[in-house]
Amino acid sequence: MTLNAMKTLERDLRLSRRELESIVKSFHQEMKKGLTGSSGSLKMIPTYVDRPTGSEKGRYLALDLGGTNFRILSLTLKGRGIPSDKRVMKFALRKRDISTTGKRLFKFLAGSIKKFIKEKKIDLSGSIDLGFTFSFPVKTTGPASGTLIVWTKGFSASGVEGRDVVALLERAIADEKIDNISVVALANDTVGTLVARSYDDKDCDVGVIIGTGTNACYVEDLRNIRKMKNLRRQPGTMIINIEWGNFNRLKATRYDRQLDGESINPGAQILEKMVSGMYLGELCRLIAVDLISEKILFGGRACGNFNKNMAFSGEFVSQVLADRSRGLSGIISLLRRLGVKDPGTEDGKTIRKICSLLAVRAARISAAAIFAVITRIDPDIKKRHIVAIDGSVYEKLPGFAENIKSAVSELSGVRTGKIRISLTKDGSGYGAAIIAAVSSAEGDTK
Ligand code: GLC
């Protein structure tokens, strides 16, 4: 391992406490801009959803679109506690499903609902309400309507941006001749996660996803959402979808710039491109390719898969960091599978170092963003805050959760005991059912 090149990399990827504090400060500024409606990198989208009371009940369907799988759930809410009679089906999304036309994508969703109803024997004799988790930047126009602003996470189906995604779903459901399903709620996965957790725990006021993409939402006072002029003087709260993946006031390396330039959405989702599972592996690959060209890695021999875009996945980063063996046998065999000829222990160490620097940077950026959201709600951290968090990177990347927690304590000092960051699995789908319940109850009282 050539010391100088690695030292430079380390210097470029490390974030000191002071740098984290400066991220928090600019995050606060961007949040404020987003709430007033002036242009900035944070969209701060009002969701028309508030926290549930915990007494919501009934049987619901939920759809969850936005990661590597599309999921359909049916469950019965009992008023607090874990829902019963949960039935779930997962459908893997292939590249062609997400980059086709919007019409085909929604046809695929409706077709999957049809399969689900048949296989899971869902009774549609009375009608059933459905919550749709659609995890992209959506300009929400009401509890069950919103237009897609822009695709993220590599989705590119044509003819969906600028359109109401609930209307597209309803049309596709009608085309499949499925009767008795009404779409009553539209939610983001972060909102689903926050809602699912706060169904049982009133102190939960932040929802975070760190998976294929990354984002967060939180509970804001209505009077602070200045861009919604009609709500300005009303008491109460509303969940705001921050769309923090688009935050861009971060120190970027040339690899970050290269990844951004080669992506399908250059200039957008800068934080997401440094943090989320979709990009961590690719960053590692770009650094590796550079080190190969400088003859620091693999004896300078270019090899098979390291030259292919996106060939080094986020899961590989997890596998690399999970290898605790002395001879790095797991990493070496992964490198062999990727077509590297005779990788040595030094190569393994270099790859591990790159993955670890990238993973620690991702965790520290996430921690600064989480801390910024908490201190936006409660600047002196006087109350307890539960941060409901989910996503493959948070759950599976070795050391990631611990690194977030320790960076949050670095920032919060003696107040750290008030903050709990807590894994909330599958909240994105389950939360959509709760939001559907809230929305149906509101519909009934109107
Ligand atoms: C992307 C989407 C956002 C979503 C996040 C996590 O950043 O734009 O809406 O919440 O991924 O899935």
Side-chain angles (χ1 to χ4, degrees), residues 43 45 64-67 133-138 148 150-153 187-191 208-217 241-246 269 272 276 390 428:
K43 294 188 180 67
I45 304 170
D64 190 358
L65 178 75
T133 302
F134 181 79
S135 305
F136 299 94
V138 163
L148 173 65
V150 62
W151 283 119
T152 50
K153 297 178 281 197
N188 183 263
D189 50 0
T190 58
V191 180
V208 177
I209 298 284
I210 309 178
T212 308
T214 183
N215 184 19
C217 68
N241 169 12
I242 303 173
E243 285 293 328
W244 82 14
N246 199 46
Q269 302 296 101
E272 184 156 274
S276 83
D390 198 6
S428 57

Side-chain angles (χ1 to χ4, degrees), residues 79-123:
R80 296 211 181 277
I82 297 166
S84 60
D85 190 24
K86 194 163 150 194
R87 302 175 210 182
V88 186
M89 258 173 96
K90 236 193 211 175
F91 301 82
L93 288 166
R94 295 152 303 182
K95 181 130 193 9
R96 66 163 194 265
D97 299 320
I98 65 175
S99 49
T100 167
T101 61
K103 203 162 183 214
R104 285 215 190 106
L105 172 65
F106 280 87
K107 188 176 164 52
F108 169 76
L109 302 188
S112 309
I113 299 177
K114 205 166 185 178
K115 266 194 209 139
F116 176 80
I117 289 167
K118 195 162 167 226
E119 273 187 36
K120 299 290 175 186
K121 304 193 172 47
I122 305 297
D123 174 13

